[in-house]
Amino acid sequence: MRLFYRMRRLNFFLFTFFLAAAWGQQGSAVPAANPAPIALAEAIARARANEPNFAAALAAARVAGLDHSIARAGLLPSVSYHNQALYTQPNGAFNGGGPVGSQSAPRFIANNAVREYASQAVVTETLGVGPVTAVSRAAAANAVAAAELEIARRGLVSTVTGLFYQAQAADRKLSVARRAASEAAGFTQLTQQRETAREGAHADVVKAQLQQQQRDRDLAEASLTAQKSRLDLGVLLFADPRTDYTLAPGSIAALPARADVDEAAMRLNPELHQALASLRVSTLDVTAARAAYLPELGLNFTYGIDAVQFAVNGRDGVKNLGYSASATLDIPVWDWLSTQHRVRQSEILRDAAHTALTATQRRLVAQLDESYAEAGTSRDELQSLEQSVVTAGESLRLTRLRYTAGEATVLEVVDAQNSLTAAEIAREDGAVRYQVAFANLQLLTGAI
């Protein structure tokens, strides 16, 4: 019995161990072996499949397309096959005017006989301004949804582009921090060697050590920033944001001509298309509201039977199968000014949509000027930052040579190190600024 309990305890411990191992294997991200670099286009495609706001905009556009199809179907005649069996309690009298002679009369005067059967095909059509306007309005609403989908897509592209370039810059800044930490460690070793050879003061060693400690802290911060940037982008790209991945380097594209940017932006800007479509929707709402002043014509055609027998031919040669047609014209006369108030409401909304359109046009012009100026300035500054990195690197090399020869102070070397590190970080920031500005310009023109 004791052996039995020991075996149960051993099995429990083994089960717990393997369960914990399996849980830890699921909870930790398993880095892929040599993951393929992800380009910006692939990152955008992955984000489109994972981002909920874009999925909601896509669903709204599809629903608007189906609404347009439903509105067009409303213009066509509707066909139904009507079947009914009706029994009414007799009142004890006989009706001699029925289709088969004398028969029991029903208690309900609205019914034709005690037993009545209907099997009919019914075709119905309504003619008026309202259904036609509804089709046009559904088409305009579909255009609005399509423009909103494009706005959502471009917003997603803007987000992914910013995170993509920031993650790339964070990785490059991490490389800068590693180089700066290695440079500081090497300089600390140089000052110690000069102190040992009695060529330098101990104060130089202390200053170099302080610089090395600062660079080690900068390296830790750069590593943390790179990790955060990769996780922020990984949320949009993968089911598990901890998935290991690398980003493909991109080239610095040339700035397009201003005339081409203006022409493409005015032709392909989704905000402008949305404002135009919204104005059209509001205008059609006015037309639909005014359509309530006009009459509507209803047409009905019925073919089948409506008789006391469920048969094509009744007793005594009576033919039950036949047809009937009706036309109904409803003319509105008075509704206590409700239609007038609806028309006024739609006119107010139309005026607001027109104001939104003009505001969108002004905002687009301002965005074009700002984005193009931002891209041009950041491009020029990036070239200057590249030259600053080269100059700062050469300054550090010469200053270290002078310090080794005893012609420069430790402060000059530390200042040269700081200048090179600051220039490299500024270059990475400048590259991100230009790439994001160029991407925003492409979004305005519909290039991406």
Side-chain angles (χ1 to χ4, degrees):
M1 195 67 179
R2 186 176 299 173
L3 179 62
F4 173 77
Y5 282 116
R6 288 181 178 176
M7 292 297 295
R8 286 189 60 184
R9 185 177 299 177
L10 178 61
N11 291 336
F12 175 78
F13 285 151
L14 290 175
F15 173 78
T16 305
F17 173 77
F18 286 117
L19 182 62
W23 179 262
Q25 202 171 28
Q26 291 179 354
S28 60
V30 180
N34 298 324
I38 296 177
L40 178 59
E42 181 182 354
I44 294 173
R46 286 175 175 267
R48 290 180 62 179
N50 298 327
E51 214 282 322
N53 292 330
F54 178 78
L58 181 60
R62 291 177 177 176
V63 169
L66 294 175
D67 287 339
H68 186 205
S69 177
I70 293 171
R72 285 185 298 178
L75 294 178
L76 303 176
S78 63
V79 181
S80 63
Y81 187 59
H82 173 71
N83 293 276
Q84 184 182 34
L86 181 64
Y87 175 79
T88 306
Q89 184 180 8
N91 61 5
F94 291 90
N95 183 5
V100 293
S102 180
Q103 57 184 327
S104 298
R107 290 195 177 188
F108 298 156
I109 62 174
N111 296 335
N112 301 312
V114 174
R115 290 177 177 84
E116 184 177 355
Y117 303 93
S119 181
Q120 302 166 334
V122 182
V123 181
T124 304
E125 172 71 355
T126 301
L127 302 178
V129 179
V132 178
T133 306
V135 175
S136 300
R137 189 190 185 284
N142 189 23
V144 172
E148 290 177 347
L149 175 60
E150 178 62 15
I151 292 173
R153 186 196 71 83
R154 294 191 182 190
L156 177 61
V157 170
S158 178
T159 300
V160 174
T161 301
L163 293 176
F164 185 89
Y165 289 133
Q166 288 174 6
Q168 279 189 339
D171 290 339
R172 291 194 293 263
K173 288 180 181 180
L174 180 58
S175 300
V176 171
R178 286 171 180 162
R179 182 209 57 77
S182 176
E183 170 69 26
F187 182 63
T188 300
Q189 184 178 4
L190 176 61
T191 56
Q192 290 173 345
Q193 292 173 354
R194 285 177 57 82
E195 182 187 17
T196 302
R198 298 185 181 278
E199 296 178 355
H202 182 67
D204 293 355
V205 178
V206 173
K207 182 62 177 177
Q209 289 175 341
L210 290 174
Q211 177 74 354
Q212 181 181 355
Q213 293 167 3
Q214 180 60 43
R215 291 308 174 201
D216 290 339
R217 291 191 294 269
D218 293 342
L219 177 58
E221 289 293 331
S223 177
L224 178 61
T225 301
Q227 182 181 4
K228 289 181 178 179
S229 298
R230 294 179 65 82
L231 287 174
D232 290 340
L233 182 59
V235 168
L236 294 175
L237 303 187
F238 305 102
D240 185 356
R242 299 168 297 180
T243 302
D244 187 25
Y245 64 93
T246 57
L247 299 178
S251 58
I252 303 298
L255 196 63
R258 178 58 191 270
D260 297 336
V261 171
D262 291 343
E263 190 273 334
M266 292 298 179
R267 182 169 48 89
L268 300 175
N269 185 263
E271 285 85 0
L272 186 59
H273 292 172
Q274 181 197 28
L276 287 170
S278 297
L279 178 60
R280 176 164 174 75
V281 169
S282 301
T283 303
L284 290 171
D285 285 339
V286 175
T287 304
R290 290 174 177 171
Y293 289 124
L294 303 177
E296 282 190 350
L297 177 63
L299 303 176
N300 180 273
F301 178 82
T302 303
Y303 181 81
I305 65 171
D306 187 354
V308 295
Q309 304 94 12
F310 190 77
V312 174
N313 297 315
R315 294 189 298 269
D316 300 330
V318 174
K319 295 184 179 296
N320 295 333
L321 184 63
Y323 67 89
S324 67
S326 66
T328 304
L329 182 65
D330 293 328
I331 302 175
V333 177
W334 180 254
D335 60 358
W336 302 99
L337 302 180
S338 297
T339 300
Q340 182 180 358
H341 293 165
R342 291 191 185 96
V343 171
R344 183 55 184 157
Q345 285 177 337
S346 57
E347 289 175 345
I348 293 172
L349 295 177
R350 180 196 59 190
D351 296 340
H354 184 270
T355 303
L357 173 60
T358 58
T360 300
Q361 293 171 334
R362 295 192 302 270
R363 186 167 59 250
L364 176 59
V365 173
Q367 285 179 346
L368 280 175
D369 286 347
E370 293 173 1
S371 299
Y372 198 87
E374 174 75 14
T377 302
S378 57
R379 177 199 57 188
D380 297 339
E381 290 183 358
L382 182 58
Q383 297 174 354
S384 176
L385 291 171
E386 291 282 358
Q387 296 176 356
S388 297
V389 170
V390 175
T391 303
E394 181 66 14
S395 174
L396 176 59
R397 186 184 70 84
L398 295 176
T399 304
R400 284 201 59 163
L401 289 176
R402 290 176 59 237
Y403 179 79
T404 304
E407 298 178 357
T409 64
V410 66
L411 294 178
E412 292 177 312
V413 177
V414 169
D415 182 66
Q417 291 175 340
N418 292 336
S419 297
L420 177 58
T421 302
E424 289 177 331
I425 292 177
R427 178 188 60 188
E428 303 307 330
D429 290 336
V432 172
R433 180 187 177 188
Y434 174 69
Q435 288 169 325
V436 171
F438 183 76
N440 291 334
L441 199 60
Q442 286 183 307
L443 287 174
L444 285 176
T445 58
I448 58 175

